[in-house]
């Protein structure tokens, strides 16, 4: 860790000395810390040495390792409307270095996703309401959960939500999948429609330290309104993020934006390396797949190394800095026409620059 816990403790101490005031939100037992103003007033920065963190958790390419040891990721997402998002997430996991990447999606989406890449293992098991009669829903739901369960113990991390859609029956089945993942202690990255699901049913992740939420501006706003029962307050952004993560029982939140802010309710870290001014859709999907891989690696390496940051926080920091580096390379080469697929093509080169592999 790069001293951010110490920084936060010092900031809390300073604010207590200065007599901090309430942010006007639901009280979650936190002293308000005006970190934003401390930072703008030249106080300590929340920026972490993200590249060193990435290096510390990325495993070496060891010839003695077998297939699967570098990570087995599953994306739960993909429906009639969205096939790009689950593909971006799952292929990013492979490009970074995971050994196997699965996608659990609807039947409509499966053939399309398979046609994008032969590398992905695609399971056409999810069902939307329109394709299931009311009287069959219970048995279909049990079958869907059973299909994912067959694989569950093998996965190092799930990504739930890219291109999932919002069909009520489908989301009900995904809730069941999440409960089983939690029972099996499998980390989960919640993004896109997965965040829509958990915002409406916080119990699915509340108090689960292996849950990671990666909200964009909109998704963050909905979470703040639901959990803290107030509006987003950027004057007090750091404190609000801490309160939000704490309010959901210590899950890790990666708040995406100009800078990415990461908190598990105890510390806040920032990654602000400049990426690209292009805001094409799908960059958040790359991030979800990347974070899943880095969490898996951080959990493996945690056995060997003592870090005061949790594997979920480390994974978010590494995923964020890698995506930004790849976006920067893609933008240098493609400019205004940069697309998500261009950024994916630069993931490998970017990781190579941070962690060169001896050949
Ligand atoms: N190729 C594919 O298959 C892709 C599929 N995807 C999948 O789509 C699903 C829904 O996800 P989502 O991101 O479109 O929903 P959400 O966040 O509600 O945004 C909706 C609207 O909110 C606004 N808005 C967004 N950001 C904002 C900002 N920073 N600041 C201000 N406003 C902002 C903006 O509205 P507008 O500006 O058009 O009024 C935007 O259009 C989900 O499953 C996801 O995985 C995507 O991953 C992309 C690639
Ligand atoms: N204003 C910005 N300036 C620089 N980088 C940004 C900005 N906004 C977002 N990003 C970067 O882009 C990544 C994706 O964030 P974004 O807010 O676009 O997610 P998203 O809306 O969920 O994307 P998707 O289209 O995949 O759903 C974040 O990790 C962040 O690093
Ligand atoms: Mg998104």
């Amino acid at each position: 860790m790069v001293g951010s816990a110490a920084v936060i403790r010092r900031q809390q101490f300073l604010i207590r000395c200065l007599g901090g005031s309430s942010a006007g939100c639901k009280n979650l037992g936190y002293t308000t810390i005006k970190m934003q103003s401390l930072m703008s007033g030249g106080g300590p920065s929340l920026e972490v040495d993200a590249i060193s963190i990435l290096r510390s958790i990325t495993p070496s390419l060891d010839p003695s390792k077998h297939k699967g040891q570098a990570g087995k990721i599953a994306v739960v997402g993909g429906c009639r409307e969205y096939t790009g998002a689950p593909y971006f997430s799952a292929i990013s996991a492979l490009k970074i270095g995971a050994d196997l990447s699965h996608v659990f999606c609807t039947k409509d989406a499966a053939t399309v996703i398979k046609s994008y890449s032969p590398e992905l293992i695609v399971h056409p098991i999810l069902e939307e309401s329109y394709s299931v009669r009311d009287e069959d829903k219970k048995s279909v739901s049990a079958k869907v959960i059973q299909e994912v369960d067959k694989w569950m113990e093998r996965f190092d991390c799930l990504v739930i939500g890219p291109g999932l859609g919002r069909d009520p029956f489908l989301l009900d089945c995904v809730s069941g999948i999440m409960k089983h993942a939690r029972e099996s202690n499998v980390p989960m990255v919640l993004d896109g429609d997965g965040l829509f699901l958990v915002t409406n049913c916080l119990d699915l992740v509340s108090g689960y330290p292996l849950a990671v939420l990666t909200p964009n501006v909109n998704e963050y706003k909905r979470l703040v309104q639901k959990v803290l029962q107030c509006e987003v307050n950027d004057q007090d952004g750091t404190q609000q993020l801490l309160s939000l993560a704490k309010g959901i029982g210590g899950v890790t939140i990666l708040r995406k934006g100009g800078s990415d802010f990461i908190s598990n309710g105890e510390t806040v870290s920032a990654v602000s390396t400049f990426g690209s001014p292009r805001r094409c859709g799908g960059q958040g999907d790359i991030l979800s797949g990347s974070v899943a891989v880095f969490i898996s690696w951080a959990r493996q390496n945690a056995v060997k190394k003592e870090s005061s940051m949790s594997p979920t926080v480390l994974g978010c920091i590494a995923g964020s800095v890698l995506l930004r580096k790849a976006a920067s390379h893609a933008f240098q080469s493609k400019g205004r026409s940069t697309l998500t697929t261009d950024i994916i093509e630069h993931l490998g080169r970017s990781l190579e620059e941070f962690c060169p592999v001896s050949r």
Side-chain angles (χ1 to χ4, degrees), residues 95 322 325-334 338 340-353:
K95 293 267 181 183
L322 182 68
K325 184 73 173 171
S328 157
H329 279 313
F331 185 73
Q332 273 164 29
S333 120
K334 295 286 177 88
T338 303
T340 297
T341 42
D342 300 316
I343 301 174
I344 290 171
E345 283 314 309
H346 283 92
L347 286 170
R349 171 187 166 190
S350 303
L351 187 54
E352 182 72 22
E353 280 174 22

Side-chain angles (χ1 to χ4, degrees), residues 191-192 216 219 256 284-285:
D191 188 43
N216 66 14
E219 292 151 353
K256 296 180 285 195
D285 303 319

Side-chain angles (χ1 to χ4, degrees), residues 280-301:
C280 54
Q283 295 181 59
D285 303 319
I286 301 180
L287 184 71
S288 64
S290 312
V291 167
V293 176
F294 284 116
I295 289 173
S296 312
W297 289 351
R299 289 188 86 209
Q300 283 174 11
N301 285 352

Side-chain angles (χ1 to χ4, degrees), residues 82 84-85 88 161-164 193 216-219 222 282 285:
Y82 308 120
F88 294 146
L164 190 60
D193 299 311
N216 66 14
V217 171
N218 261 351
E219 292 151 353
R222 290 192 283 261
D285 303 319

